[in-house]
Amino acid sequence: MATTEAAASTKFKNPDFRSPLPQQQPIEFHKETEDVKSSHDGLEFWQFMVAGSIAGCVEHTAMFPVDTLKTRMQALVSCPNQTVGLRHAFTSLIKKEGPLGFYRGIGAMSLGAGPAHAVYFSVYEFCKEYFSKGNPNNSAAHAVSGVCATVASDAVFTPMDVVKQRLQLSSTHYKGLWDCTTRVLKEEGFGAFYASYRTTVLMNAPFTAVHFATYEAAKTGLMEISPDTASDERLVVHATAGAAAGALAAAVTTPLDVVKTQLQCQGVCGCDRFTNSSIRGVIRSIVQKDGYRGLMRGWKPRMLFHAPAAAICWSTYEAGKTFFHGMNANK
């Protein structure tokens, strides 16, 4: 009996009869790409900035004549004996100044649009990644990201926008970009460059919220209509979605744009000068002089500006992203 037990004990101690235990795989700790993500959507942060900067310059240069008409119509609300209709503004500018009159102030625009749009799109992409949590259909995240982008970019663009709009006026007494900048600084102080910043942000916050949410939703919807040809029609999709977003956002925010223009052009061409930058005070002044319709001055050129401008901007921006995707793939 003892011999049998010993044999059994020896048998089960034999390694050949032991059931093999599963080998435990070594635990690997994966880093998330890097300790700090330097890329999003396959692109580096600086590539978003370059694509956005190019898109902004192309957009504003192409649409600058329409922007000049809008600025004159809105600024002349408080100027005596001036017509502010779109047709009259156009014919008057052509007769008095010729085609070059449409491009007064384009130098200031060039200095401001590039850096401002670099900030605009890079902040938007960063915030969109953070707030959307991987959900591409999160409209709220797109809207909030747009607001964050405009707060940052307006801080860059507003000073040059002040100079641009003052140079755009027909009877401006400024000789050029440098003369306008130095005289405003000397006569009105540095604060004059940001007199409209609060109004600009209050205008652009709902503008970009509507714009980005509409753009992302329209883009997704258009791609779902014909998913098989979405890649071939990418340019058309971005242009169409951008135009719809730009037109809607422009129409909704025209009253605040009128207030912004009045603040930036105050004291020029006989326009009212305001004791402070109170939005309520400016609105009251416009309504008293021109009624509530005065708050919608320039809505036609504003929509004519923003619909094609957004189409151009988004198409150029997405084309820039595509270029950088290809460049990164070839590394």
Side-chain angles (χ1 to χ4, degrees):
M1 186 72 177
T3 306
T4 306
E5 288 179 359
S9 176
T10 304
K11 176 182 177 181
F12 287 104
K13 284 182 182 180
N14 190 333
D16 296 332
F17 289 90
R18 294 177 190 168
S19 60
L21 293 173
Q23 289 187 348
Q24 191 170 5
Q25 298 295 328
I27 300 174
E28 296 182 5
F29 296 93
H30 297 282
K31 293 184 179 179
E32 282 213 22
T33 310
E34 291 179 5
D35 292 333
V36 178
K37 281 189 176 181
S38 61
S39 64
H40 158 59
D41 195 25
L43 298 181
E44 300 294 327
F45 190 73
W46 68 269
Q47 292 173 325
F48 287 119
M49 297 186 74
V50 172
S53 180
I54 294 172
C57 289
V58 171
E59 168 204 347
H60 282 277
T61 301
M63 301 307 301
F64 197 79
V66 182
D67 183 61
T68 298
L69 287 175
K70 175 195 74 75
T71 297
R72 294 194 179 192
M73 289 177 66
Q74 292 179 341
L76 297 181
V77 167
S78 59
C79 294
N81 303 319
Q82 295 279 357
T83 57
V84 289
L86 177 58
R87 182 180 300 175
H88 286 91
F90 179 83
T91 55
S92 175
L93 191 151
I94 287 292
K95 289 179 181 178
K96 292 180 180 179
E97 303 171 56
L100 290 178
F102 287 106
Y103 291 93
R104 293 172 65 96
I106 195 170
M109 180 280 297
S110 301
L111 288 176
H117 278 73
V119 172
Y120 188 69
F121 281 105
S122 57
V123 171
Y124 173 70
E125 294 287 355
F126 176 82
C127 292
K128 183 175 76 170
E129 181 190 20
Y130 179 80
F131 290 118
S132 65
K133 306 297 184 184
N135 179 10
N137 299 319
N138 191 337
S139 297
H142 299 150
V144 172
S145 300
V147 173
C148 294
T150 198
V151 170
S153 65
D154 284 343
V156 177
F157 188 63
T158 297
M160 283 296 101
D161 195 39
V162 171
V163 176
K164 172 188 73 73
Q165 290 201 318
R166 294 194 179 203
L167 291 173
Q168 284 177 314
L169 299 180
S170 59
S171 56
T172 182
H173 52 276
Y174 300 112
K175 297 177 182 178
L177 171 61
W178 180 251
D179 179 59
C180 181
T181 304
T182 54
R183 287 179 60 181
V184 170
L185 188 61
K186 182 179 178 181
E187 296 170 8
E188 303 176 48
F190 182 76
F193 290 112
Y194 284 94
S196 66
Y197 178 67
R198 181 174 58 178
T199 307
T200 301
V201 171
L202 287 175
M203 175 191 71
N204 283 341
F207 178 91
T208 51
V210 173
H211 186 128
F212 281 107
T214 303
Y215 171 76
E216 296 286 357
K219 182 179 70 173
T220 302
L222 289 170
M223 286 185 171
E224 288 177 351
I225 292 174
S226 55
D228 296 335
T229 60
S231 58
D232 298 329
E233 300 173 352
R234 186 176 297 274
L235 181 63
V236 176
V237 168
H238 293 311
T240 305
L248 178 61
V252 169
T253 58
T254 294
L256 283 171
D257 189 48
V258 174
V259 174
K260 184 204 77 167
T261 301
Q262 288 278 307
L263 285 170
Q264 292 189 163
C265 297
Q266 57 182 308
V268 182
C269 174
C271 298
D272 292 340
R273 181 174 291 281
F274 304 99
T275 54
N276 56 56
S277 56
S278 166
I279 298 172
R280 183 178 299 178
V282 177
I283 291 176
R284 188 182 300 115
S285 175
I286 294 171
V287 171
Q288 286 175 351
K289 291 198 171 191
D290 204 35
Y292 285 101
R293 66 176 185 174
L295 294 172
M296 291 302 293
R297 289 289 188 188
W299 71 270
K300 289 179 181 178
R302 180 167 165 78
M303 288 186 68
L304 287 173
F305 174 87
H306 281 286
I312 293 169
C313 188
W314 279 110
S315 300
T316 307
Y317 178 64
E318 295 291 350
K321 288 172 62 177
T322 301
F323 170 79
F324 284 122
H325 275 126
M327 187 181 75
N328 292 346
N330 293 328
K331 285 183 177 180

